[in-house]
Amino acid sequence: MNSAQWHARIECGRQIGAGFLVTGRKVVTCAHVIADSGAAPVTVTFPHQTGAAAVPARVVSHGGWGGRPTDPGDLAVLELDEDAPVAPAAFAPADAAFGEPPRKLVAYGFPRGYDEGTLAEYRATAAQLIGGEWIQLEAWNGHGQPLEAGFSGAAVALAGTGEVVGMVTATGGRGVRNGRMLPTHVMARYWPELGGRLPAPAHEDADRDRLRVLVEKAAHTGLDCSPERLYLDAAGPFGPPVPPGGFHSLWAAAWYVLCELDDPESVTRFADRLDALIDAPRAAAAARHAPPDWSPILVEIDRSGAGGDQVVVEVSAYSAGRRHPVDSRTLAQGELRPYVRERIDEAFAHLAPDTDELIAFALPREWLNWPVDQWESGPDDPTPLGCSYPLVVTDHARRRGGLRHRLTRRWQGIEAGAHAQVHRVECGCGEDPRKLRLRLREAAVAGFAAPPAAGHSRPRFDTALTKPVPVLLWPRSGCGGEHAGAGKGDGDCAGSAFLNAIGPYVSGVTPAELPRHILSLRESADAADDPDGHWARDVQLLWDDPRCFPDPHATTAHLGSPVA
């Protein structure tokens, strides 16, 4: 340690801390040491250089520290204008700080009265990470220099070799002989460049290099993906959850998988998924006509036995043929929207990143006309939910029994290349439900000119629901369904106008792709100069492919049951 020229003193405003040189001109320190860098200059001094003067530095990377002592990411990287006249620090393997007998660790800081710096001797309490972030440090003996103000950002190094194993982020203060360090493998989560400088077993080198190349490629291509979803897919259903605070970057998730997960296949899964996502644009053209790989988030709403306006809500995610219950609750209808928004956000964590999300509301028949696609996407996002994701409704009764079986067969009978042809059900045609039943026997899509509660349309709507018609479309408002003589050429009927427009729009689209195309239609209507006047402003899509929703009686128990 006496020859370690890479120790640095950091000043920013009234803050004084430590740091250490890791490349020719880059110095690592704590983010809280340079918290005032927006208003005050940052300077770096190498105290082992005789007569060395403070040189200016700029912040080039930040770990995302939020400002509180327990916030993660308390790391910052400073860059000098030119290479420092000293060699950078060397690093020890991640496990070198632990062992029996305990390894002595030293830190070089700048507490009050020690402008030239001083040493503190410590050891790691255990290899267990605190909060998935820190290693606890305790004094090597009962006397000597404690960790206190001025040690933040100091390298924690092995006594004797001077190889770095971490960085001091929390000091105990005078009279308190413990602290915390950010181990080097956690530091690399927040600064990818450091990962290439840490020693690793030979079998990890290839994995690390592949992950770094893929993450850089993702950044170069502007890939937009969720690090948390990639991590959960790599960790598997029985792996550890996302650490508190999530991941501030894709690299943070990749490095966490590499360093923290015991399953060696998790790295391969993460890399393969990321590689597929990067390659997705090139594969999109070839896959454009293939059926989407839907992973639904199902929101089931039903009346509660508690009476009044109470409803029972259960939210689940379906991925790879498995149901993942998210939450269930009985609440008042006025509490429904914010609750559903929050649970949908939680459900996304269970979806594989390369599948197609689908929001599905399973409702009682008399609520199928609810404008759930118009619910806001979030408390700070007024975008209609149906303009953010493909969104469909389905009838509770169609999800069980013989009708479910017949629907499954009907979907299997629809060829992947078969296009949707809308079988029109006019609002005032007076068609006998028995004849409609016969006409819809081979239909893939039934289009209604009037909503299900409008006048004489209800019996015909019920007829379609009780037959294995995979898709139903209708406008939630408009024609009341009572007038006679409405037909394909009736320009005064809003319902007929809807059917005249929706037919050509879905022409050439397979039933499996309809949720995606209705999403585009809703976006167009919402962005129109006169959204309320657009013919598709309130289009409702009932779509239920039982293959996307495993049998509810054959999956995980209800969250409220003793079994769950």
Side-chain angles (χ1 to χ4, degrees):
M1 289 293 288
N2 291 333
S3 61
Q5 303 288 308
W6 38 261
H7 293 294
R9 173 188 170 97
I10 314 296
E11 295 188 48
C12 179
R14 300 179 64 181
Q15 280 283 352
I16 297 176
F20 54 102
L21 189 71
V22 290
T23 73
R25 61 178 62 186
K26 288 182 179 176
V27 175
V28 173
T29 186
C30 288
H32 75 259
V33 171
I34 51 89
D36 295 332
S37 60
V42 179
T43 61
V44 176
T45 307
F46 295 99
H48 288 281
Q49 292 289 302
T50 304
V55 295
R58 59 185 177 276
V59 181
V60 293
S61 185
H62 193 282
W65 180 66
R68 296 177 301 179
T70 56
D71 284 340
D74 190 4
L75 177 144
V77 181
L78 312 178
E79 187 172 46
L80 311 177
D81 288 336
E82 56 186 38
D83 285 350
V86 298
F91 294 90
D95 59 353
F98 316 102
E100 288 295 337
R103 300 291 302 269
K104 181 187 288 189
L105 307 175
V106 290
Y108 196 98
F110 303 89
R112 184 185 297 273
Y114 291 90
D115 291 349
E116 74 286 1
T118 188
L119 290 170
E121 298 180 338
Y122 274 73
R123 64 177 135 207
T125 304
Q128 172 68 50
L129 288 178
I130 298 174
E133 187 91 355
W134 304 279
I135 291 292
Q136 181 169 310
L137 299 174
E138 57 186 36
W140 181 255
N141 52 44
H143 55 273
Q145 174 66 49
L147 291 178
E148 56 184 325
F151 275 90
S152 293
V156 180
L158 299 174
T161 71
E163 294 173 308
V164 176
V165 295
M167 178 180 72
V168 176
T169 56
T171 59
R174 291 189 178 275
V176 180
R177 297 189 175 274
N178 59 32
R180 289 181 178 179
M181 77 169 179
L182 208 60
T184 51
H185 70 277
V186 175
M187 294 171 66
R189 289 187 210 162
Y190 302 106
W191 187 39
E193 187 176 332
L194 181 62
R197 299 181 174 274
L198 303 182
H203 71 276
E204 288 185 6
D205 276 341
D207 290 334
R208 180 176 61 185
D209 291 344
R210 185 187 180 202
L211 284 175
R212 185 183 301 107
V213 168
L214 287 172
V215 170
E216 290 174 354
K217 191 175 180 181
H220 178 73
T221 59
L223 178 68
D224 182 16
C225 67
S226 166
E228 288 77 15
R229 289 174 64 183
L230 268 172
Y231 168 79
L232 287 169
D233 188 59
F238 304 108
V242 173
F247 301 109
H248 84 291
S249 69
L250 188 57
W251 172 254
W255 189 258
Y256 194 90
V257 169
L258 181 66
C259 297
E260 303 295 343
L261 299 190
D262 295 329
D263 179 7
E265 293 301 315
S266 61
V267 176
T268 301
R269 288 193 294 268
F270 188 99
D272 287 349
R273 287 289 192 187
L274 182 55
D275 199 6
L277 287 173
I278 294 171
D279 192 56
R282 292 193 296 272
R288 189 170 291 125
H289 299 294
D293 183 14
W294 294 121
S295 282
I297 294 174
L298 180 64
V299 181
E300 299 177 84
I301 305 175
D302 210 343
R303 287 188 174 84
S304 167
D309 68 344
Q310 299 291 300
V311 295
V312 176
V313 192
E314 183 165 8
V315 180
S316 308
Y318 289 82
S319 180
R322 296 180 66 247
R323 174 174 176 259
H324 304 272
V326 176
D327 195 26
S328 65
R329 193 165 301 180
T330 299
L331 40 74
Q333 287 195 26
E335 303 171 296
L336 190 55
R337 294 191 185 191
Y339 172 80
V340 167
R341 284 198 306 259
E342 293 173 6
R343 301 295 86 76
I344 286 177
D345 283 344
E346 293 176 15
F348 270 103
H350 296 287
L351 305 188
D354 57 350
T355 56
D356 299 289
E357 69 271 10
L358 174 73
I359 311 297
F361 282 80
L363 304 168
R365 187 162 299 179
E366 57 273 21
W367 292 352
L368 286 176
N369 210 43
W370 274 15
V372 289
D373 61 293
Q374 294 298 315
W375 292 6
E376 293 183 348
S377 294
D380 301 316
D381 182 5
T383 307
L385 196 60
C387 291
S388 296
Y389 311 104
L391 185 147
V392 302
V393 299
T394 185
D395 179 15
H396 276 311
R398 286 165 63 98
R399 302 191 62 241
R400 55 181 179 265
L403 182 55
R404 176 185 176 86
H405 178 72
R406 287 186 291 157
L407 267 171
T408 302
R409 288 198 306 171
R410 186 73 186 91
W411 274 100
Q412 290 172 340
I414 300 175
E415 296 180 358
H419 294 161
Q421 178 184 354
V422 177
H423 288 250
R424 299 169 64 104
V425 183
E426 303 288 353
C427 54
C429 64
E431 184 175 8
D432 187 323
R434 293 173 297 178
K435 293 182 179 179
L436 177 62
R437 188 183 305 124
L438 184 63
R439 182 159 69 90
L440 295 180
R441 185 171 57 185
E442 300 299 326
V445 181
F448 287 79
H456 299 296
S457 68
R458 185 54 186 263
R460 292 188 292 276
F461 193 83
D462 289 345
T463 296
L465 283 176
T466 56
K467 299 299 289 183
V469 182
V471 180
L472 277 68
L473 284 160
W474 69 90
R476 285 192 299 271
S477 60
C479 179
E482 298 292 347
H483 61 86
K488 194 170 184 177
D490 188 347
D492 295 329
C493 175
S496 289
F498 171 83
L499 293 180
N500 291 343
I502 197 69
Y505 182 82
V506 302
S507 177
V509 179
T510 64
E513 295 175 305
L514 274 176
R516 184 183 295 156
H517 283 262
I518 296 301
L519 165 64
S520 298
L521 179 60
R522 285 170 172 153
E523 289 177 313
S524 297
D526 187 63
D529 292 336
D530 179 18
D532 291 337
H534 196 282
W535 65 269
R537 67 190 182 281
D538 56 2
V539 59
Q540 195 81 326
L541 172 62
L542 187 146
W543 184 101
D544 49 6
D545 183 350
R547 298 170 300 177
C548 293
F549 306 93
D551 188 342
H553 301 293
T555 52
T556 308
H558 189 284
L559 284 172
S561 75
V563 176

PDB file of all heavy atoms in Angstrom, residues 309-335:
ATOM      1  N   ASP A 309     -71.797  -1.904  -4.702  1.00  0.00           N
ATOM      2  CA  ASP A 309     -70.989  -1.763  -5.914  1.00  0.00           C
ATOM      3  C   ASP A 309     -69.676  -2.527  -5.794  1.00  0.00           C
ATOM      4  O   ASP A 309     -68.701  -2.224  -6.480  1.00  0.00           O
ATOM      5  CB  ASP A 309     -70.718  -0.290  -6.199  1.00  0.00           C
ATOM      6  CG  ASP A 309     -69.799   0.345  -5.155  1.00  0.00           C
ATOM      7  OD1 ASP A 309     -69.634  -0.249  -4.075  1.00  0.00           O
ATOM      8  OD2 ASP A 309     -69.239   1.419  -5.440  1.00  0.00           O
ATOM      9  N   GLN A 310     -69.636  -3.533  -4.924  1.00  0.00           N
ATOM     10  CA  GLN A 310     -68.424  -4.299  -4.711  1.00  0.00           C
ATOM     11  C   GLN A 310     -68.187  -5.282  -5.863  1.00  0.00           C
ATOM     12  O   GLN A 310     -69.115  -5.901  -6.376  1.00  0.00           O
ATOM     13  CB  GLN A 310     -68.505  -5.086  -3.394  1.00  0.00           C
ATOM     14  CG  GLN A 310     -68.654  -4.213  -2.165  1.00  0.00           C
ATOM     15  CD  GLN A 310     -67.397  -3.424  -1.881  1.00  0.00           C
ATOM     16  OE1 GLN A 310     -66.337  -3.998  -1.655  1.00  0.00           O
ATOM     17  NE2 GLN A 310     -67.512  -2.104  -1.902  1.00  0.00           N
ATOM     18  N   VAL A 311     -66.925  -5.397  -6.281  1.00  0.00           N
ATOM     19  CA  VAL A 311     -66.558  -6.341  -7.335  1.00  0.00           C
ATOM     20  C   VAL A 311     -65.355  -7.161  -6.870  1.00  0.00           C
ATOM     21  O   VAL A 311     -64.581  -6.732  -6.011  1.00  0.00           O
ATOM     22  CB  VAL A 311     -66.208  -5.623  -8.657  1.00  0.00           C
ATOM     23  CG1 VAL A 311     -67.423  -4.924  -9.225  1.00  0.00           C
ATOM     24  CG2 VAL A 311     -65.065  -4.641  -8.453  1.00  0.00           C
ATOM     25  N   VAL A 312     -65.227  -8.339  -7.448  1.00  0.00           N
ATOM     26  CA  VAL A 312     -64.071  -9.199  -7.205  1.00  0.00           C
ATOM     27  C   VAL A 312     -63.157  -9.089  -8.423  1.00  0.00           C
ATOM     28  O   VAL A 312     -63.614  -9.249  -9.555  1.00  0.00           O
ATOM     29  CB  VAL A 312     -64.485 -10.663  -6.989  1.00  0.00           C
ATOM     30  CG1 VAL A 312     -63.245 -11.546  -6.829  1.00  0.00           C
ATOM     31  CG2 VAL A 312     -65.367 -10.794  -5.772  1.00  0.00           C
ATOM     32  N   VAL A 313     -61.896  -8.806  -8.193  1.00  0.00           N
ATOM     33  CA  VAL A 313     -60.932  -8.644  -9.274  1.00  0.00           C
ATOM     34  C   VAL A 313     -59.766  -9.594  -9.042  1.00  0.00           C
ATOM     35  O   VAL A 313     -59.278  -9.716  -7.911  1.00  0.00           O
ATOM     36  CB  VAL A 313     -60.387  -7.206  -9.355  1.00  0.00           C
ATOM     37  CG1 VAL A 313     -59.631  -7.001 -10.656  1.00  0.00           C
ATOM     38  CG2 VAL A 313     -61.490  -6.189  -9.217  1.00  0.00           C
ATOM     39  N   GLU A 314     -59.349 -10.257 -10.097  1.00  0.00           N
ATOM     40  CA  GLU A 314     -58.147 -11.094 -10.034  1.00  0.00           C
ATOM     41  C   GLU A 314     -57.323 -10.834 -11.287  1.00  0.00           C
ATOM     42  O   GLU A 314     -57.853 -10.812 -12.394  1.00  0.00           O
ATOM     43  CB  GLU A 314     -58.502 -12.574  -9.931  1.00  0.00           C
ATOM     44  CG  GLU A 314     -57.275 -13.463  -9.798  1.00  0.00           C
ATOM     45  CD  GLU A 314     -57.600 -14.879  -9.344  1.00  0.00           C
ATOM     46  OE1 GLU A 314     -58.797 -15.218  -9.271  1.00  0.00           O
ATOM     47  OE2 GLU A 314     -56.657 -15.632  -9.071  1.00  0.00           O
ATOM     48  N   VAL A 315     -56.023 -10.625 -11.092  1.00  0.00           N
ATOM     49  CA  VAL A 315     -55.122 -10.353 -12.205  1.00  0.00           C
ATOM     50  C   VAL A 315     -54.086 -11.473 -12.270  1.00  0.00           C
ATOM     51  O   VAL A 315     -53.486 -11.830 -11.248  1.00  0.00           O
ATOM     52  CB  VAL A 315     -54.433  -8.987 -12.046  1.00  0.00           C
ATOM     53  CG1 VAL A 315     -53.483  -8.729 -13.222  1.00  0.00           C
ATOM     54  CG2 VAL A 315     -55.467  -7.870 -11.943  1.00  0.00           C
ATOM     55  N   SER A 316     -53.896 -12.007 -13.474  1.00  0.00           N
ATOM     56  CA  SER A 316     -52.935 -13.088 -13.699  1.00  0.00           C
ATOM     57  C   SER A 316     -52.155 -12.802 -14.980  1.00  0.00           C
ATOM     58  O   SER A 316     -52.620 -12.094 -15.867  1.00  0.00           O
ATOM     59  CB  SER A 316     -53.640 -14.446 -13.841  1.00  0.00           C
ATOM     60  OG  SER A 316     -54.516 -14.697 -12.771  1.00  0.00           O
ATOM     61  N   ALA A 317     -50.960 -13.387 -15.047  1.00  0.00           N
ATOM     62  CA  ALA A 317     -50.159 -13.323 -16.275  1.00  0.00           C
ATOM     63  C   ALA A 317     -49.975 -14.741 -16.789  1.00  0.00           C
ATOM     64  O   ALA A 317     -49.816 -15.689 -16.012  1.00  0.00           O
ATOM     65  CB  ALA A 317     -48.803 -12.681 -15.996  1.00  0.00           C
ATOM     66  N   TYR A 318     -50.021 -14.888 -18.104  1.00  0.00           N
ATOM     67  CA  TYR A 318     -49.848 -16.195 -18.736  1.00  0.00           C
ATOM     68  C   TYR A 318     -48.598 -16.151 -19.593  1.00  0.00           C
ATOM     69  O   TYR A 318     -48.449 -15.303 -20.474  1.00  0.00           O
ATOM     70  CB  TYR A 318     -51.056 -16.538 -19.608  1.00  0.00           C
ATOM     71  CG  TYR A 318     -52.305 -16.860 -18.822  1.00  0.00           C
ATOM     72  CD1 TYR A 318     -53.112 -15.846 -18.327  1.00  0.00           C
ATOM     73  CD2 TYR A 318     -52.673 -18.174 -18.565  1.00  0.00           C
ATOM     74  CE1 TYR A 318     -54.261 -16.129 -17.598  1.00  0.00           C
ATOM     75  CE2 TYR A 318     -53.820 -18.465 -17.842  1.00  0.00           C
ATOM     76  CZ  TYR A 318     -54.608 -17.446 -17.362  1.00  0.00           C
ATOM     77  OH  TYR A 318     -55.738 -17.733 -16.646  1.00  0.00           O
ATOM     78  N   SER A 319     -47.680 -17.082 -19.319  1.00  0.00           N
ATOM     79  CA  SER A 319     -46.428 -17.123 -20.060  1.00  0.00           C
ATOM     80  C   SER A 319     -45.985 -18.562 -20.210  1.00  0.00           C
ATOM     81  O   SER A 319     -45.978 -19.319 -19.222  1.00  0.00           O
ATOM     82  CB  SER A 319     -45.348 -16.314 -19.334  1.00  0.00           C
ATOM     83  OG  SER A 319     -44.131 -16.344 -20.026  1.00  0.00           O
ATOM     84  N   ALA A 320     -45.656 -18.954 -21.434  1.00  0.00           N
ATOM     85  CA  ALA A 320     -45.179 -20.309 -21.733  1.00  0.00           C
ATOM     86  C   ALA A 320     -46.142 -21.361 -21.209  1.00  0.00           C
ATOM     87  O   ALA A 320     -45.738 -22.399 -20.694  1.00  0.00           O
ATOM     88  CB  ALA A 320     -43.784 -20.523 -21.150  1.00  0.00           C
ATOM     89  N   GLY A 321     -47.446 -21.086 -21.328  1.00  0.00           N
ATOM     90  CA  GLY A 321     -48.443 -22.060 -20.927  1.00  0.00           C
ATOM     91  C   GLY A 321     -48.681 -22.144 -19.433  1.00  0.00           C
ATOM     92  O   GLY A 321     -49.433 -23.009 -18.975  1.00  0.00           O
ATOM     93  N   ARG A 322     -48.081 -21.242 -18.646  1.00  0.00           N
ATOM     94  CA  ARG A 322     -48.243 -21.266 -17.199  1.00  0.00           C
ATOM     95  C   ARG A 322     -48.949 -20.006 -16.743  1.00  0.00           C
ATOM     96  O   ARG A 322     -48.728 -18.926 -17.271  1.00  0.00           O
ATOM     97  CB  ARG A 322     -46.888 -21.377 -16.489  1.00  0.00           C
ATOM     98  CG  ARG A 322     -46.150 -22.658 -16.771  1.00  0.00           C
ATOM     99  CD  ARG A 322     -44.816 -22.701 -16.042  1.00  0.00           C
ATOM    100  NE  ARG A 322     -44.999 -22.745 -14.604  1.00  0.00           N
ATOM    101  CZ  ARG A 322     -44.647 -21.766 -13.782  1.00  0.00           C
ATOM    102  NH1 ARG A 322     -44.114 -20.657 -14.251  1.00  0.00           N
ATOM    103  NH2 ARG A 322     -44.843 -21.869 -12.482  1.00  0.00           N
ATOM    104  N   ARG A 323     -49.790 -20.170 -15.734  1.00  0.00           N
ATOM    105  CA  ARG A 323     -50.499 -19.033 -15.151  1.00  0.00           C
ATOM    106  C   ARG A 323     -49.755 -18.554 -13.922  1.00  0.00           C
ATOM    107  O   ARG A 323     -49.377 -19.340 -13.057  1.00  0.00           O
ATOM    108  CB  ARG A 323     -51.922 -19.447 -14.768  1.00  0.00           C
ATOM    109  CG  ARG A 323     -52.707 -18.373 -14.021  1.00  0.00           C
ATOM    110  CD  ARG A 323     -54.149 -18.815 -13.804  1.00  0.00           C
ATOM    111  NE  ARG A 323     -54.899 -17.860 -13.025  1.00  0.00           N
ATOM    112  CZ  ARG A 323     -55.177 -17.983 -11.732  1.00  0.00           C
ATOM    113  NH1 ARG A 323     -54.766 -19.055 -11.075  1.00  0.00           N
ATOM    114  NH2 ARG A 323     -55.862 -17.058 -11.091  1.00  0.00           N
ATOM    115  N   HIS A 324     -49.530 -17.231 -13.857  1.00  0.00           N
ATOM    116  CA  HIS A 324     -48.843 -16.614 -12.722  1.00  0.00           C
ATOM    117  C   HIS A 324     -49.814 -15.659 -12.031  1.00  0.00           C
ATOM    118  O   HIS A 324     -50.029 -14.546 -12.499  1.00  0.00           O
ATOM    119  CB  HIS A 324     -47.611 -15.848 -13.188  1.00  0.00           C
ATOM    120  CG  HIS A 324     -46.640 -16.665 -13.978  1.00  0.00           C
ATOM    121  ND1 HIS A 324     -45.622 -17.393 -13.408  1.00  0.00           N
ATOM    122  CD2 HIS A 324     -46.548 -16.883 -15.321  1.00  0.00           C
ATOM    123  CE1 HIS A 324     -44.938 -18.005 -14.345  1.00  0.00           C
ATOM    124  NE2 HIS A 324     -45.478 -17.720 -15.520  1.00  0.00           N
ATOM    125  N   PRO A 325     -50.452 -16.072 -10.933  1.00  0.00           N
ATOM    126  CA  PRO A 325     -51.350 -15.145 -10.224  1.00  0.00           C
ATOM    127  C   PRO A 325     -50.569 -13.935  -9.710  1.00  0.00           C
ATOM    128  O   PRO A 325     -49.460 -14.062  -9.197  1.00  0.00           O
ATOM    129  CB  PRO A 325     -51.879 -15.987  -9.056  1.00  0.00           C
ATOM    130  CG  PRO A 325     -51.633 -17.413  -9.450  1.00  0.00           C
ATOM    131  CD  PRO A 325     -50.396 -17.394 -10.289  1.00  0.00           C
ATOM    132  N   VAL A 326     -51.160 -12.761  -9.879  1.00  0.00           N
ATOM    133  CA  VAL A 326     -50.527 -11.519  -9.427  1.00  0.00           C
ATOM    134  C   VAL A 326     -51.181 -11.020  -8.146  1.00  0.00           C
ATOM    135  O   VAL A 326     -50.512 -10.769  -7.153  1.00  0.00           O
ATOM    136  CB  VAL A 326     -50.604 -10.444 -10.530  1.00  0.00           C
ATOM    137  CG1 VAL A 326     -50.043  -9.111 -10.024  1.00  0.00           C
ATOM    138  CG2 VAL A 326     -49.839 -10.897 -11.766  1.00  0.00           C
ATOM    139  N   ASP A 327     -52.513 -10.896  -8.158  1.00  0.00           N
ATOM    140  CA  ASP A 327     -53.214 -10.416  -6.962  1.00  0.00           C
ATOM    141  C   ASP A 327     -54.707 -10.590  -7.182  1.00  0.00           C
ATOM    142  O   ASP A 327     -55.178 -10.683  -8.327  1.00  0.00           O
ATOM    143  CB  ASP A 327     -52.881  -8.949  -6.700  1.00  0.00           C
ATOM    144  CG  ASP A 327     -53.291  -8.506  -5.293  1.00  0.00           C
ATOM    145  OD1 ASP A 327     -53.352  -9.372  -4.405  1.00  0.00           O
ATOM    146  OD2 ASP A 327     -53.570  -7.311  -5.096  1.00  0.00           O
ATOM    147  N   SER A 328     -55.446 -10.638  -6.115  1.00  0.00           N
ATOM    148  CA  SER A 328     -56.908 -10.648  -6.187  1.00  0.00           C
ATOM    149  C   SER A 328     -57.456  -9.874  -4.999  1.00  0.00           C
ATOM    150  O   SER A 328     -56.837  -9.835  -3.931  1.00  0.00           O
ATOM    151  CB  SER A 328     -57.456 -12.083  -6.189  1.00  0.00           C
ATOM    152  OG  SER A 328     -57.179 -12.727  -4.967  1.00  0.00           O
ATOM    153  N   ARG A 329     -58.612  -9.242  -5.214  1.00  0.00           N
ATOM    154  CA  ARG A 329     -59.134  -8.384  -4.163  1.00  0.00           C
ATOM    155  C   ARG A 329     -60.613  -8.106  -4.407  1.00  0.00           C
ATOM    156  O   ARG A 329     -61.087  -8.144  -5.551  1.00  0.00           O
ATOM    157  CB  ARG A 329     -58.361  -7.066  -4.122  1.00  0.00           C
ATOM    158  CG  ARG A 329     -58.607  -6.221  -2.877  1.00  0.00           C
ATOM    159  CD  ARG A 329     -57.561  -5.151  -2.744  1.00  0.00           C
ATOM    160  NE  ARG A 329     -56.212  -5.712  -2.662  1.00  0.00           N
ATOM    161  CZ  ARG A 329     -55.112  -4.987  -2.541  1.00  0.00           C
ATOM    162  NH1 ARG A 329     -55.202  -3.659  -2.487  1.00  0.00           N
ATOM    163  NH2 ARG A 329     -53.933  -5.549  -2.475  1.00  0.00           N
ATOM    164  N   THR A 330     -61.345  -7.830  -3.332  1.00  0.00           N
ATOM    165  CA  THR A 330     -62.711  -7.333  -3.417  1.00  0.00           C
ATOM    166  C   THR A 330     -62.680  -5.849  -3.087  1.00  0.00           C
ATOM    167  O   THR A 330     -62.127  -5.439  -2.063  1.00  0.00           O
ATOM    168  CB  THR A 330     -63.628  -8.072  -2.424  1.00  0.00           C
ATOM    169  OG1 THR A 330     -63.646  -9.468  -2.754  1.00  0.00           O
ATOM    170  CG2 THR A 330     -65.046  -7.528  -2.493  1.00  0.00           C
ATOM    171  N   LEU A 331     -63.229  -5.040  -3.992  1.00  0.00           N
ATOM    172  CA  LEU A 331     -63.185  -3.592  -3.772  1.00  0.00           C
ATOM    173  C   LEU A 331     -64.366  -2.917  -4.452  1.00  0.00           C
ATOM    174  O   LEU A 331     -65.120  -3.542  -5.205  1.00  0.00           O
ATOM    175  CB  LEU A 331     -61.858  -3.009  -4.278  1.00  0.00           C
ATOM    176  CG  LEU A 331     -61.251  -3.534  -5.590  1.00  0.00           C
ATOM    177  CD1 LEU A 331     -61.998  -3.023  -6.787  1.00  0.00           C
ATOM    178  CD2 LEU A 331     -59.789  -3.120  -5.679  1.00  0.00           C
ATOM    179  N   ALA A 332     -64.550  -1.647  -4.150  1.00  0.00           N
ATOM    180  CA  ALA A 332     -65.628  -0.874  -4.757  1.00  0.00           C
ATOM    181  C   ALA A 332     -65.260  -0.526  -6.193  1.00  0.00           C
ATOM    182  O   ALA A 332     -64.090  -0.392  -6.535  1.00  0.00           O
ATOM    183  CB  ALA A 332     -65.879   0.397  -3.955  1.00  0.00           C
ATOM    184  N   GLN A 333     -66.295  -0.338  -7.039  1.00  0.00           N
ATOM    185  CA  GLN A 333     -66.020  -0.044  -8.439  1.00  0.00           C
ATOM    186  C   GLN A 333     -65.200   1.240  -8.600  1.00  0.00           C
ATOM    187  O   GLN A 333     -64.416   1.364  -9.535  1.00  0.00           O
ATOM    188  CB  GLN A 333     -67.328   0.059  -9.223  1.00  0.00           C
ATOM    189  CG  GLN A 333     -67.999  -1.279  -9.467  1.00  0.00           C
ATOM    190  CD  GLN A 333     -69.070  -1.200 -10.539  1.00  0.00           C
ATOM    191  OE1 GLN A 333     -69.026  -0.350 -11.418  1.00  0.00           O
ATOM    192  NE2 GLN A 333     -70.058  -2.088 -10.450  1.00  0.00           N
ATOM    193  N   GLY A 334     -65.373   2.181  -7.681  1.00  0.00           N
ATOM    194  CA  GLY A 334     -64.610   3.416  -7.767  1.00  0.00           C
ATOM    195  C   GLY A 334     -63.112   3.225  -7.574  1.00  0.00           C
ATOM    196  O   GLY A 334     -62.320   4.078  -7.947  1.00  0.00           O
ATOM    197  N   GLU A 335     -62.725   2.101  -6.955  1.00  0.00           N
ATOM    198  CA  GLU A 335     -61.310   1.811  -6.724  1.00  0.00           C
ATOM    199  C   GLU A 335     -60.718   0.933  -7.820  1.00  0.00           C
ATOM    200  O   GLU A 335     -59.526   0.603  -7.791  1.00  0.00           O
ATOM    201  CB  GLU A 335     -61.138   1.101  -5.383  1.00  0.00           C
ATOM    202  CG  GLU A 335     -61.689   1.852  -4.186  1.00  0.00           C
ATOM    203  CD  GLU A 335     -61.678   1.006  -2.935  1.00  0.00           C
ATOM    204  OE1 GLU A 335     -62.386  -0.023  -2.903  1.00  0.00           O
ATOM    205  OE2 GLU A 335     -60.946   1.363  -2.000  1.00  0.00           O
TER     206      GLU A 335
END
